[in-house]
Amino acid sequence: MDSGGSTDMTLAFELEALKALADPNAVFNNARQWTEYVGVVSEKPTYVVTNFTRKHRVRQDFFSGPRGVEESLENIAQQFDTERHVFVGVDEEDEAVAEATGWEFLQVENAAEAAGWTLATDSPEAEAAEEASRDDWP
């Protein structure tokens, strides 16, 4: 992804956007090359985000904690004073939150295409994992 030559950017992923990527750890490692800070925000409880990031070995500079996405983005923008604040999300609700907080919005599919990231739906491993997981598991 080209940030116009500047790495003075804070990049926040909505948890669902991060889940849409085949290799979240590789995405974060790649993003660190052209951003100053990268992390995850979500309406989900903190332990859900923590469990996901640990499982995928994602080292984040920030996370939303017990706050909602909108409050988290506002706090992150104040705490991490960079030229750009970019929020990667999945739907119109995410886009509206970005607009309300003054963040740039990127749809996860567009971000993945621009940065060369693989979406989970594009990878053979994701299809195999999906088939292996069972909805009827107790």
Side-chain angles (χ1 to χ4, degrees):
M1 180 175 220
D2 182 15
S3 63
S6 173
T7 60
D8 195 19
M9 179 192 328
T10 301
L11 184 65
F13 286 88
E14 207 293 325
L15 180 60
E16 294 307 312
L18 199 56
K19 287 180 175 181
L21 297 163
D23 188 347
N25 181 39
V27 167
F28 265 56
N29 289 338
N30 172 262
R32 287 189 189 288
Q33 296 174 31
W34 42 266
T35 62
E36 193 69 33
Y37 307 103
V38 61
V40 182
V41 295
S42 178
E43 295 287 342
K44 303 268 190 218
T46 302
Y47 75 88
V48 173
V49 176
T50 302
N51 287 346
F52 180 84
T53 55
R54 280 187 185 150
K55 178 181 176 185
H56 294 280
R57 299 175 185 216
V58 170
R59 185 178 58 82
Q60 54 189 340
D61 297 317
F62 58 83
F63 64 97
S64 53
R67 299 179 196 94
V69 172
E70 187 167 344
E71 185 181 350
S72 294
L73 291 178
E74 289 169 347
N75 288 337
I76 292 162
Q78 290 173 0
Q79 190 174 2
F80 299 98
D81 186 25
T82 54
E83 287 179 20
R84 296 176 64 198
H85 293 90
V86 180
F87 179 47
V88 179
V90 295
D91 56 25
E92 290 175 359
E93 188 177 316
D94 291 342
E95 187 170 8
V97 169
E99 189 172 310
T101 56
W103 284 62
E104 297 174 44
F105 177 76
L106 265 179
Q107 190 78 23
V108 67
E109 293 85 358
N110 296 341
E113 184 177 331
W117 302 329
T118 303
L119 292 169
T121 55
D122 295 342
S123 74
E125 297 87 23
E127 290 174 22
E130 199 171 295
E131 289 174 17
S133 70
R134 295 177 43 168
D135 290 336
D136 62 345
W137 190 255

